[in-house]
Amino acid sequence: MSSNFIVTADACTPKHSGPVVPTTPLVTFLERIQETALQTYGHKGFDPKLYVDLSLKQNLSTTVEAFEKLPRTENGSVSVEELSGFVEKYLGGAAEDLVYVLPVDFVDEPQDFLSNVKSPEVKAWALEVHKLWKNLSRKVSGRVLEKPDFYTLLPLKNPVMIPGSRFREVYYWDSYWVIRGLLASKMYETAKGIVYNLISLIDDYGHVLNGARAYYTNRSQPPLLSSMVTDIYNRTGDKDLVIKSLPALLKEHDFWNSGMHKVIIQDSQGTNHTLNRYYAMWNQPRPESSTTDEETASKLSNKCAKTQLYRELASAAESGWDFSTRWMSGAKSVISRQ
């Protein structure tokens, strides 16, 4: 299915503007924190995603009220001291919603690990890579399960493998490559747990999300869940996994073959072909990159063009292709992942 995908977004008209799946009030508020932080701290070292990954220490209404009372200058900015004090008092750290967990099926050297590799140096290097699973393994904190409205992280049941660095949550098509690695490491239970997490997202949202955050609910990523299930089955023979996965896989297939994701085109011989396209259900700045997207859109003169740009940026993120200046002539090689 993924080989027939295109990335596109319709023009900004009432008829073709497309669906929009809203985020949560918490995400909307954290976008305001993100914008204020950029004004206060400046561009140097600024990471917009950090601010929408923060959590609440108190309920949202109390936090918003305190934020509104912060002293501001004539241009509306907040001092470093005031904003830093507010964040420390009212908001939790971006990495506090996931906690470390040792994978249940990790061993230092799996039996017959990469048995076809003969070079001792290569095998030693591969074992060092294998040990990274211990560093990347996480589970959702009990605090998220107790107060999900205080967090943008979604409460997945099973342990996860995170990409690392600023990416502190599960991502859809990253999980495909994670599972390929876990199978090489013979960590079959961890791999199955990741699949069941993704299935739970289909059950809750109708599709696998771009990532396990409240601000990713309006887009998916390349539909590789069926390949994950197939790869695990081919290695383990676990028919129960296949049976449990089938309803969700059918639901995901319907998601990509209906509505705005389905496109009929006609070739030069008059034959119709069905394509699936990446088309995010969103037409505003992406919350995790809100300030960046607004800066990009500031070069456009009218609201319609900006709306279309925002949907195209989100649709490109849905495609899984990271934004990079490698597509630009004569630009510095700076990669920015969605």
Side-chain angles (χ1 to χ4, degrees):
M1 178 164 60
S2 58
S3 62
N4 291 332
F5 270 70
I6 57 177
V7 181
T8 183
D10 288 335
C12 175
T13 65
K15 183 178 180 181
H16 298 294
S17 59
V20 173
V21 175
T23 55
T24 65
L26 174 58
V27 171
T28 301
F29 170 67
L30 292 176
E31 284 186 85
R32 293 181 62 194
I33 300 295
Q34 178 192 124
E35 182 181 8
T36 303
L38 179 58
Q39 293 174 339
T40 299
Y41 302 129
H43 284 85
K44 186 177 181 180
F46 181 77
D47 180 5
K49 185 179 184 300
L50 169 68
Y51 296 95
V52 290
D53 289 354
L54 299 177
S55 58
L56 298 176
K57 291 182 178 179
Q58 302 184 42
N59 64 55
L60 181 58
S61 60
T62 299
T63 307
V64 172
E65 183 179 357
F67 178 70
E68 298 287 4
K69 292 180 179 179
L70 288 176
R72 287 172 168 78
T73 64
E74 291 184 1
N75 65 0
S77 63
V78 179
S79 71
V80 171
E81 182 181 14
E82 290 287 351
L83 183 59
S84 298
F86 169 83
V87 170
E88 182 178 356
K89 182 177 180 179
Y90 289 95
L91 299 175
E96 294 178 3
D97 43 20
L98 286 171
V99 296
Y100 174 77
V101 60
L102 180 67
V104 296
D105 46 5
F106 178 87
V107 296
D108 288 330
E109 185 169 354
Q111 185 178 4
D112 298 324
F113 179 70
L114 299 182
S115 57
N116 292 330
V117 176
K118 305 304 179 184
S119 167
E121 292 82 5
V122 173
K123 181 163 284 191
W125 172 82
L127 282 170
E128 289 300 313
V129 174
H130 164 75
K131 292 177 183 177
L132 293 176
W133 294 128
K134 290 198 298 184
N135 298 338
L136 299 173
S137 181
R138 301 286 190 278
K139 69 176 181 179
V140 174
S141 166
R143 290 171 292 185
V144 179
L145 303 177
E146 293 170 7
K147 296 183 177 181
D149 292 343
F150 280 37
Y151 298 84
T152 62
L153 185 76
L154 301 180
L156 298 177
K157 179 180 179 180
N158 298 301
V160 304
M161 289 293 175
I162 60 172
S165 185
R166 65 194 287 265
F167 301 107
R168 296 170 281 263
E169 57 281 311
V170 168
Y171 285 83
Y172 185 2
W173 89 316
D174 292 59
S175 295
Y176 172 74
W177 306 105
V178 166
I179 284 177
R180 292 288 295 270
L182 289 171
L183 294 178
S185 293
K186 303 183 186 298
M187 296 172 63
Y188 304 137
E189 293 307 310
T190 299
K192 292 176 188 178
I194 291 173
V195 164
Y196 286 128
N197 281 337
L198 300 182
I199 288 174
S200 73
L201 294 176
I202 294 179
D203 292 339
D204 291 340
Y205 299 98
H207 60 281
V208 183
L209 311 186
N210 182 150
R213 291 275 178 187
Y215 50 78
Y216 285 138
T217 57
N218 45 48
R219 65 181 191 250
S220 185
Q221 274 197 329
L224 291 168
L225 182 58
S226 59
S227 296
M228 300 180 208
V229 173
T230 299
D231 287 348
I232 295 174
Y233 174 77
N234 288 338
R235 190 64 66 91
T236 67
D238 189 341
K239 293 183 180 179
D240 189 50
L241 173 70
V242 176
I243 293 170
K244 290 180 178 178
S245 301
L246 186 57
L249 293 176
L250 292 173
K251 193 171 185 179
E252 181 180 48
H253 186 270
D254 289 341
F255 170 77
W256 287 107
N257 284 277
S258 61
M260 303 304 297
H261 288 102
K262 180 180 179 180
V263 180
I264 306 296
I265 65 168
Q266 191 174 86
D267 62 23
S268 58
Q269 283 74 45
T271 302
N272 288 335
H273 302 272
T274 300
L275 294 181
N276 309 111
R277 66 174 175 175
Y278 298 110
Y279 194 102
M281 297 171 287
W282 192 240
N283 61 3
Q284 300 172 48
R286 294 165 297 153
E288 77 282 10
S289 301
S290 182
T291 51
T292 304
D293 287 357
E294 287 179 354
E295 183 178 355
T296 301
S298 67
K299 303 175 179 64
L300 301 176
S301 59
N302 64 77
K303 182 178 179 180
C304 179
K306 291 182 179 182
T307 299
Q308 183 175 352
L309 172 65
Y310 292 145
R311 192 182 291 275
E312 288 175 346
L313 287 169
S315 298
E318 183 171 71
S319 78
W321 284 92
D322 293 355
F323 297 100
S324 170
T325 51
R326 68 184 182 275
W327 308 119
M328 304 177 189
S329 176
K332 293 181 179 179
S333 181
V334 178
I335 297 177
S336 174
R337 171 188 173 146
Q338 67 277 359

